[in-house]
Amino acid sequence: MPAASHASARRKRPFYRRWSFAFAAMAVIAYGVAIAMHWDDRAVLWIKERFESKAERQQSVWLPDYRVDIDAKHLPGMADDEASDLSFNPQTRTLFAVMGKNPFLVELTLEGDVLRQIPLLGWANPEGVAVLDNGQIAIVDERNHDLTVVKVDPDTTSLTRADFPNYDLGESEERNKGFEAIAWDPKRQRLVIGEERPPRLYTWNTDGRGPLVGSKQPLPNDQLDLRNLSALAVDPRSGHLLVLSADSHLLLELDEKGQQVSFISLLGAFNGLKSRIPRAEGVTMDDQGNLYIISEPALFYRFKKS
């Protein structure tokens, strides 16, 4: 073989090696992303969902049956306020959302129309909201590591944190990724509280009308294979827990034993969504089984069972 041909072959081999290395690197990165996003766990759960009986599906929320009904409705004038959570009020059949950057509560219709705004004076970074009984609302402040139970009625125009009882939640493992999720579980007479990262669950007993009883207790759970925990909701019919993760773009259903039951992706083209929910920060369910999600910057979504 001529010397020129030998030289050409030597030049080609590194080229192919570089492609082989790039392909291997891409495979490793893809595998890492799949593990980080828990796509492997979602695939296992998706397969398990296929074998659930009709009766089992009827006894649960069964998220795969939901389709978006109101898709990315803008909440006017709130784009800079960082929508943080959402809770259904069965007495008024309205929703209460909390804004974290410029603290205030906003009351919404079930169609996402604004009824009123209630300034929150003295809160640093309210991230979670849960409607209890008798006009009481629990608000979690991530920066202050506490929750405050306030009273809201039709005449309430503002709320001052110092006027209401505060409950210390303690320090978090990651100071800036602390307690930010809360939901009222009327069936078990307790609040369920979520820590963002690493995702953890706690409970605090209350009848929803009087003071909280005892202290915050850990709720053992090894099924929170999520990148973070953004919000919580409780299905008042089944008692199942809904866990929202903004980073995983996922809504997960857990049963009373903490086992995964179903999930939906919050990415575009899934469950009727035109595009990905940018950063889902709040979730709630009404007494008819409809789902509501609020996302930063200030987007409103409603899902109904098909």
Side-chain angles (χ1 to χ4, degrees):
M1 181 181 292
S5 298
H6 283 291
S8 176
R10 284 195 299 270
R11 284 195 298 270
K12 286 181 179 179
R13 279 195 291 270
F15 173 79
Y16 290 117
R17 289 195 190 105
R18 285 197 298 272
W19 272 103
S20 299
F21 176 79
F23 180 80
M26 289 172 63
V28 170
I29 291 170
Y31 176 77
V33 170
I35 295 299
M37 296 290 287
H38 300 284
W39 290 341
D40 51 339
D41 299 312
R42 298 290 83 79
V44 171
L45 181 56
W46 184 85
I47 293 170
K48 287 171 60 180
E49 285 180 347
R50 305 309 102 190
F51 294 95
E52 295 285 352
S53 68
K54 185 177 180 180
E56 289 171 323
R57 296 184 184 193
Q58 290 176 340
Q59 292 170 3
S60 66
V61 177
W62 201 250
L63 293 170
D65 285 348
Y66 280 82
R67 293 294 180 272
V68 69
D69 172 52
I70 298 176
D71 193 348
K73 181 175 182 176
H74 287 269
L75 301 179
M78 301 181 197
D80 297 326
D81 297 314
E82 293 186 359
S84 295
D85 200 8
L86 194 64
S87 186
F88 173 68
N89 186 339
Q91 282 73 46
T92 59
R93 302 208 80 251
T94 59
L95 303 167
F96 279 93
V98 68
M99 301 292 165
K101 186 175 181 180
N102 301 304
F104 63 89
L105 285 175
V106 55
E107 188 172 11
L108 305 166
T109 69
L110 300 184
E111 286 72 40
D113 297 321
V114 177
L115 296 173
R116 60 172 168 163
Q117 295 183 21
I118 304 173
L120 296 175
L121 308 177
W123 276 266
N125 186 216
E127 287 286 344
V129 63
V131 175
L132 310 181
D133 282 340
N134 198 32
Q136 292 201 114
I137 294 179
I139 301 172
V140 169
D141 192 306
E142 185 176 32
R143 197 169 301 159
N144 288 325
H145 303 274
D146 69 5
L147 71 84
T148 306
V149 180
V150 303
K151 185 72 176 286
V152 176
D153 60 37
D155 298 322
T156 302
T157 56
S158 67
L159 295 164
T160 300
R161 183 170 172 269
D163 292 341
F164 301 97
N166 303 105
Y167 299 88
D168 184 20
L169 294 174
E171 292 296 321
S172 303
E173 184 173 317
E174 292 192 33
R175 186 169 181 82
N176 294 324
K177 301 294 180 183
F179 301 97
E180 77 163 50
I182 189 167
W184 164 235
D185 185 350
K187 185 177 179 180
R188 299 177 180 85
Q189 296 283 283
R190 66 185 184 180
L191 287 169
V192 184
I193 303 161
E195 193 171 2
E196 181 182 5
R197 188 178 293 129
R200 291 182 181 136
L201 295 175
Y202 302 85
T203 62
W204 204 321
N205 292 336
T206 175
D207 63 4
R209 291 175 172 265
L212 274 60
V213 179
S215 59
K216 171 175 64 72
Q217 300 296 320
L219 183 62
N221 190 286
D222 60 357
Q223 297 286 305
L224 291 178
D225 47 358
L226 302 165
R227 295 181 66 195
N228 80 319
L229 191 159
S230 300
L232 298 168
V234 175
D235 174 18
R237 301 161 304 164
S238 66
H240 287 190
L241 186 66
L242 299 178
V243 184
L244 181 68
S245 173
D247 290 350
S248 296
H249 308 294
L250 193 77
L251 181 62
L252 181 67
E253 176 188 3
L254 304 179
D255 66 15
E256 64 278 359
K257 296 179 181 178
Q259 299 297 310
Q260 297 182 13
V261 177
S262 69
F263 77 98
I264 56 171
S265 169
L266 305 179
L267 299 174
F270 288 91
N271 298 83
L273 289 167
K274 292 180 181 177
S275 59
R276 174 178 62 87
I277 297 180
R279 185 163 185 81
E281 290 288 340
V283 63
T284 194
M285 175 177 277
D286 68 19
D287 50 7
Q288 302 299 312
N290 300 315
L291 277 170
Y292 304 84
I293 289 177
I294 196 168
S295 170
E296 292 181 0
L299 299 174
F300 178 87
Y301 300 79
R302 183 174 70 188
F303 293 78
K304 290 190 173 184
K305 211 162 191 177
S306 58

